Amino acid sequence: MKGFAGKLSNREVGRFLLPLFVSTVFRNGYTMVNAAVSGRFLTPGALAVIVACGSCLSMESYLYVSMTTGFGFFINRCIGSGDIRRQRESLWGSLWLCLCMIILGMFLSRLADMVMTLANIPDYMCEEARPYMRVILFGGGFWALENLLVQVAEALGESRIPAVLSMMSVVVQTCVMVLIIHGGLGVEASALAVLINHIWVAALLFFWVFRQPVGKKLLTSPCLPKGPVWSELLKNGCSKSFMMIMIGLGAFLFHRGINTLPEEILIGYSYGQVPVDFLMSSLGAFAVTAGLITGQNRGSDRIGEADRWNQKLLIVSTVLCAVYIVGVLAFAPAMIRFLSGTELSGMSLVAGSRILRIQICALPLVSCYIIMRNSLQSMGVYRALPLLGGLEAAICLIFAWVLMPRYGYTVVCWSAAVKWGIPAVIGVLIYRKCLKNEMAE
């Protein structure tokens, strides 16, 4: 597939979308295997360190991955424009910024103790957590570089290579971790496996991009972008990153409220969330495709074609959500029992089945929400992202601080429909308004 600008057939888009979908499903399904292997080879103390440092890893994701995903939206729009100078400047500007992130990671790795203090890591864990945290902080920039090169490959119309590397990488990561543990290292083995993974995947993606005719033309001519390109890159990156930070903050405070519920309900809630998170992640392939098609058609002034495909993607993803809904409504208790592996109390089973059934029915709202988010960013409507992220966070706060103390678990079950539904509606309204303005110009 050469690009997304202009007329596209259903087969072309389907062939691009399918590898993304399969790799996402595989990666999320494999996390359970990786967790099982980690539990077998790492000590309980090491696993506790990984859990305790999880918030730091989330913040790295918001900073590095969200930032470079934002860069990718601008690169995609430049590729759609057909202007080789803009393409070169957008790519090299992103690479220079990734280099800055790698240097930042090296600097932060020397401040591991300060970061652990800010993350409130217990004192008794610090000795074991320090090498783990240093490697995690050191590797942030390489994570950014890998993600940027995934964005570039997808913007060039290739989803199979990133998908195959994505599936291979999670398996390789597990094997490398086991080998390093056998070499005598402790919890830092997990972080080193992640770092090694980012480096080899980034190297192969760089090699693949360089082998492409367009990629070679862009990469063999290093340049420093002009001011407007730096501005566009930072607007795209910061808007995406800020949105994810807002969403993450809202989720964190919401979960603090959930932790006040009785233990049996918490157990059911945790099991009910697993299938929801797994099925929800598969919808990301539709959002990625919508962003690519919208960006390149926006860059080539064919916004009407982008809208036609956005509507198609919404319909197809809604049909897929309907299949999920039918399956989950029919087998929710059986799924909870299967995931628990042990006999659950009646209250836990009811709590898990209830949240699973309610939240799965809200998946079409998720699909609409993330497709609108990516489409708006691809159109250059940067302010919409922090607005939508802030709205989702505000809803989480209202549920956690106002409604949950009064109505308890019922509010928890219905919160997802509201926190996804309202931003989805607002996103559609902003999208339609911006689309109307674009087509009028």
Side-chain angles (χ1 to χ4, degrees):
M1 191 168 177
K2 294 181 179 179
F4 299 92
K7 293 288 183 181
L8 296 169
S9 68
N10 292 339
R11 175 176 289 185
E12 286 177 314
V13 174
R15 288 175 63 184
F16 178 84
L17 180 63
L18 184 60
L20 287 179
F21 181 84
V22 171
S23 67
T24 302
V25 170
F26 178 85
R27 281 180 65 91
N28 284 278
Y30 187 81
T31 53
M32 291 181 281
V33 176
N34 189 61
V37 173
S38 299
R40 181 173 178 179
F41 287 94
L42 292 172
T43 65
L47 291 172
V49 166
I50 293 174
V51 172
C53 297
S55 59
C56 297
L57 197 59
S58 297
M59 290 305 297
E60 267 203 331
S61 173
Y62 300 148
L63 175 61
Y64 294 112
V65 178
S66 298
M67 185 73 69
T68 48
T69 299
F71 297 165
F73 282 100
F74 181 60
I75 293 171
N76 186 49
R77 202 154 66 239
C78 292
I79 288 175
S81 72
D83 185 335
I84 192 69
R85 181 182 60 81
R86 289 188 68 203
Q87 293 171 11
R88 182 178 292 114
E89 288 190 348
S90 65
L91 178 56
W92 274 101
S94 300
L95 290 172
W96 292 127
L97 289 171
C98 276
L99 178 61
C100 293
M101 292 181 196
I102 291 172
I103 295 171
L104 174 64
M106 293 175 179
F107 173 74
L108 289 176
S109 68
R110 301 173 64 87
L111 303 176
D113 288 325
M114 185 184 74
V115 174
M116 286 192 295
T117 301
L118 292 173
N120 201 27
I121 304 297
D123 291 339
Y124 69 88
M125 282 188 184
C126 285
E127 194 64 33
E128 195 170 6
R130 187 174 293 108
Y132 175 83
M133 185 67 77
R134 281 177 176 166
V135 177
I136 287 294
L137 293 171
F138 181 86
F142 295 98
W143 193 3
L145 180 61
E146 177 196 345
N147 186 62
L148 174 67
L149 292 167
V150 168
Q151 309 300 312
V152 174
E154 290 175 351
L156 295 176
E158 178 59 64
S159 63
R160 290 169 298 178
I161 298 298
V164 170
L165 288 176
S166 173
M167 290 187 286
M168 287 175 58
S169 68
V170 290
V171 179
V172 170
Q173 180 178 316
T174 303
C175 297
V176 170
M177 182 188 70
V178 172
L179 287 173
I180 296 175
I181 290 172
H182 280 300
L185 292 181
V187 66
E188 63 269 30
S190 175
L192 281 170
V194 172
L195 174 59
I196 291 168
N197 230 24
H198 292 324
I199 292 173
W200 77 262
V201 173
L204 287 180
L205 283 169
F206 187 89
F207 179 72
W208 181 87
V209 172
F210 187 78
R211 289 287 303 273
Q212 307 311 301
V214 175
K216 182 175 291 188
K217 190 182 298 184
L218 298 177
L219 290 173
T220 52
S221 304
C223 66
L224 281 174
K226 295 180 181 177
V229 173
W230 290 117
S231 176
E232 286 294 314
L233 284 170
L234 291 173
K235 283 179 182 177
N236 273 278
C238 291
S239 63
K240 186 75 172 181
S241 187
F242 187 60
M243 178 193 72
M244 294 308 301
I245 289 172
M246 295 289 287
I247 291 173
L249 178 62
F252 171 75
L253 295 173
F254 184 74
H255 278 276
R256 288 191 62 170
I258 290 174
N259 289 338
T260 63
L261 296 172
E263 183 179 357
E264 285 186 298
I265 290 180
L266 283 174
I267 292 170
Y269 170 83
S270 63
Y271 284 123
Q273 281 294 111
V274 172
V276 174
D277 293 341
F278 176 72
L279 296 175
M280 185 168 65
S281 66
S282 68
L283 301 175
F286 295 94
V288 170
T289 306
L292 289 165
I293 292 175
T294 302
Q296 293 198 14
N297 280 286
R298 167 68 173 77
S300 59
D301 296 321
R302 296 186 180 97
I303 197 65
E305 183 67 14
D307 181 51
R308 185 174 73 86
W309 271 106
N310 285 336
Q311 293 181 39
K312 278 190 175 185
L313 290 167
L314 278 170
I315 292 170
V316 174
S317 63
T318 302
V319 171
L320 179 63
C321 288
V323 174
Y324 290 162
I325 290 169
V326 171
V328 168
L329 291 181
F331 301 106
M335 294 173 72
I336 299 297
R337 290 192 190 96
F338 173 77
L339 288 169
S340 68
T342 57
E343 193 67 30
L344 285 177
S345 69
M347 183 181 290
S348 294
L349 183 61
V350 170
S353 300
R354 187 180 181 193
I355 196 163
L356 175 54
R357 284 171 168 155
I358 292 175
Q359 292 202 6
I360 212 72
C361 290
L363 280 190
L365 297 173
V366 178
S367 177
C368 178
Y369 178 29
I370 59 179
I371 286 175
M372 289 299 102
R373 268 187 352 204
N374 277 19
S375 298
L376 284 168
Q377 181 156 17
S378 291
M379 293 166 68
V381 189
Y382 310 117
R383 294 180 182 178
L385 272 73
L387 170 64
L388 295 175
L391 183 59
E392 183 177 341
I395 292 169
C396 286
L397 294 184
I398 291 170
F399 272 82
W401 292 351
V402 180
L403 299 177
M404 202 183 300
R406 184 171 181 180
Y407 299 105
Y409 191 61
T410 299
V411 163
V412 176
C413 293
W414 287 99
S415 62
V418 180
K419 77 174 182 180
W420 296 330
I422 293 178
V425 172
I426 299 298
V428 169
L429 293 176
I430 297 173
Y431 171 77
R432 299 312 303 180
K433 180 181 179 181
C434 294
L435 182 69
K436 183 178 179 181
N437 293 338
E438 289 276 349
M439 297 184 78
E441 292 178 358

